[in-house]
Amino acid sequence: MVFLIPISSVYGHGLGLETIKLNADDRKLSITTQISPTEFSETAQKQITMTITDSLTTQNVDAILLVALYHEDTQVFREYFGTTGGVLRIDVNPSTDEQIQISGQQEQTFDAWYGTESNPLEITGPILNTGGLYRFEVEIKSIDSEAVQNQAFSTYITSITNHRYDKQDKNGNPVRFDVKSYYDKISGFDYSQDTNSITLEMPFDWSEQNISHTEVVHEEVHFPKEFVDLLVPSYTGTVNGIDLFKSSITIDDYSIEDQRIVHFVLSQDMLRYLKQAQKDKGIESPQDLKFVLKIGSKIVFPVIAMTKNESLQVDLSWEPETIEPGKNTKFIFTFRDGKTGELLRNTTYDFVILQNGKQIHTKSANAQIGGDYVDYTFSESQKGPITIQFNNLRGTGQGTEFSIMVVPEFGVLAFVILAISITSIIIFSRKRLVFF
């Protein structure tokens, strides 16, 4: 399964940073707030940065700000700060101390804290000592020493969190699950041996104000590829009991060699749909987000992959759907423009089937009408993982890669897509979502 999105778009609720545009009296401002590093780490140096820019001149402007930081509905601090050259930079030293301690310099009007080269602004205490969602409530008090009346804004920043859960399969064997959350910390996780399903929960504010700040909620569930109970062709899922669209659940078998990653991706429109669907069921005030991942069995062709530079797209199907040794398999493919989706006629290609890193079949040809096919019959000794490569497309050196499992004795459910796309990251198509 492939889910394609623009690399420049980031998952999450202000993942690492968020930019707010607003008017402050007669000034049009752009304010970017950032927490670094983007992914939570107990050992890395942490920093909060806020940059204020005049949107018309693109020049930084100095400001006095009243900043309140909240995490897990608890106020961490509320203090006046001043920018230097339009930038507020706070070095953060998380500690087990109960109180926040601030060091730096202070100006006279608001006693606002600011930093200099010789005396940088630092905050020590129980701050940024865990990942998850942080909310900044900011009031602008002055711009370039001129008072500003009643100008406030909120911004939400996510610090990516990683969670590990050790469970057992139905035979009592250990199975490690990992969840990477691009929104907030996971509050609950379970794997059911009886239903072969995964449940994970996390905090979520269903208010329109919060949803309007949330571009995407993105959660990754990782588990070993050798865990065959969950290694199925497709999945279905729900959030708070509401069925998700197919595009909300995607598979990545390429990024980590020995792991399958299943992505939950909820767009802002999807969140509004889920809220309305819950309201239609009589739930006026939904609480949190409860994801349920269930196994599926249906494969939708074609399988789609992009070249690394996104210039070319390969659509692949095969007949019959279950690949059996001793029976002919017809691989059918088309080549498309990665940006427009239009067929690319006269596309030269090298088609290669690999097993255990060795070529077992190859064909070089020119797809004059934008598509072609290859017939191949696998032998009994070729059951298991098979990699299909399309190399040197149109003479560019670009290619794509697909891997399949030939395991006929277990039927269609054992047919598993192991890896799609030559890239090591999930990318986004500029035109449309694609999945199978």
Side-chain angles (χ1 to χ4, degrees), residues 32-242:
T32 298
T33 305
Q34 181 174 7
I35 292 177
S36 59
T38 300
E39 189 163 338
F40 175 75
S41 168
E42 292 185 353
T43 59
Q45 176 64 46
K46 298 174 175 62
Q47 191 174 83
I48 296 171
T49 307
M50 191 171 293
T51 304
I52 305 178
T53 304
D54 187 303
S55 298
L56 298 180
T57 66
T58 69
Q59 300 297 312
N60 286 357
V61 296
D62 277 318
I64 300 295
L65 310 169
L66 177 58
V67 181
L69 176 63
Y70 294 85
H71 182 57
E72 297 180 348
D73 295 325
T74 299
Q75 181 176 288
V76 180
F77 65 73
R78 187 172 185 268
E79 294 286 345
Y80 284 96
F81 295 98
T83 64
T84 302
V87 179
L88 170 62
R89 184 174 291 108
I90 305 174
D91 293 328
V92 178
N93 301 308
S95 73
T96 57
D97 298 342
E98 294 183 0
Q99 301 296 323
I100 292 290
Q101 301 292 329
I102 303 177
S103 62
Q105 295 188 206
Q106 289 181 282
E107 56 86 52
Q108 296 181 350
T109 306
F110 293 94
D111 288 333
W113 292 96
Y114 66 98
T116 64
E117 287 189 13
S118 60
N119 192 12
L121 179 57
E122 295 184 349
I123 294 183
T124 302
I127 174 176
L128 301 189
N129 52 8
T130 182
L133 186 63
Y134 287 84
R135 183 177 93 250
F136 291 83
E137 299 288 348
V138 182
E139 297 179 27
I140 303 176
K141 296 300 182 180
S142 71
I143 295 290
D144 287 339
S145 300
E146 296 183 2
V148 174
Q149 299 298 319
N150 301 321
Q151 184 57 63
F153 66 92
S154 301
T155 188
Y156 298 77
I157 309 295
T158 289
S159 179
I160 301 170
T161 54
N162 294 281
H163 307 260
R164 172 176 173 171
Y165 303 94
D166 294 307
K167 301 292 183 180
Q168 292 183 336
D169 66 13
K170 58 188 176 184
N171 297 317
N173 299 313
V175 180
R176 173 176 169 173
F177 294 89
D178 292 277
V179 178
K180 189 169 190 174
S181 177
Y182 294 81
Y183 184 84
D184 206 345
K185 292 192 301 183
I186 301 301
S187 57
F189 178 92
D190 186 48
Y191 167 67
S192 171
Q193 303 167 358
D194 296 332
T195 61
N196 202 20
S197 62
I198 292 172
T199 302
L200 60 95
E201 298 180 66
M202 63 185 299
F204 188 76
D205 175 7
W206 286 93
S207 68
E208 177 56 33
Q209 178 186 6
N210 184 58
I211 292 176
S212 67
H213 278 272
T214 308
E215 292 187 5
V216 177
V217 173
H218 176 207
E219 307 300 312
E220 292 181 0
V221 180
H222 300 230
F223 55 86
K225 289 179 181 175
E226 63 185 21
F227 184 36
V228 296
D229 289 352
L230 275 180
L231 205 64
V232 295
S234 61
Y235 301 91
T236 62
T238 62
V239 164
N240 293 5
I242 308 299

Side-chain angles (χ1 to χ4, degrees), residues 232-236 294-300 321 412-415:
V232 295
S234 61
Y235 301 91
T236 62
K294 305 174 184 178
I295 62 173
S297 59
K298 185 177 181 181
I299 303 173
V300 180
E321 183 176 295
V412 174
L413 275 177
F415 178 82

Side-chain angles (χ1 to χ4, degrees), residues 238-259:
T238 62
V239 164
N240 293 5
I242 308 299
D243 290 335
L244 293 174
F245 300 145
K246 292 180 181 179
S247 59
S248 295
I249 304 173
T250 63
I251 299 173
D252 171 20
D253 280 326
Y254 189 83
S255 294
I256 302 178
E257 182 177 355
D258 60 350
Q259 289 186 8

Side-chain angles (χ1 to χ4, degrees), residues 254-326:
Y254 189 83
S255 294
I256 302 178
E257 182 177 355
D258 60 350
Q259 289 186 8
R260 164 166 284 188
I261 305 174
V262 180
H263 299 260
F264 284 102
V265 181
L266 306 181
S267 66
Q268 190 176 89
D269 287 342
M270 186 64 185
L271 290 169
R272 290 193 172 102
Y273 163 80
L274 292 169
K275 182 178 180 180
Q276 182 61 46
Q278 291 175 88
K279 184 177 181 180
D280 293 343
K281 295 177 65 173
I283 305 173
E284 294 291 337
S285 301
Q287 300 295 316
D288 300 335
L289 278 169
K290 183 177 181 179
F291 298 84
V292 178
L293 182 70
K294 305 174 184 178
I295 62 173
S297 59
K298 185 177 181 181
I299 303 173
V300 180
F301 289 130
V303 181
I304 299 173
M306 302 280 283
T307 57
K308 189 173 184 179
N309 65 2
E310 302 181 63
S311 63
L312 301 170
Q313 173 182 312
V314 180
D315 299 354
L316 176 66
S317 304
W318 49 87
E319 297 176 351
E321 183 176 295
T322 301
I323 300 176
E324 299 183 47

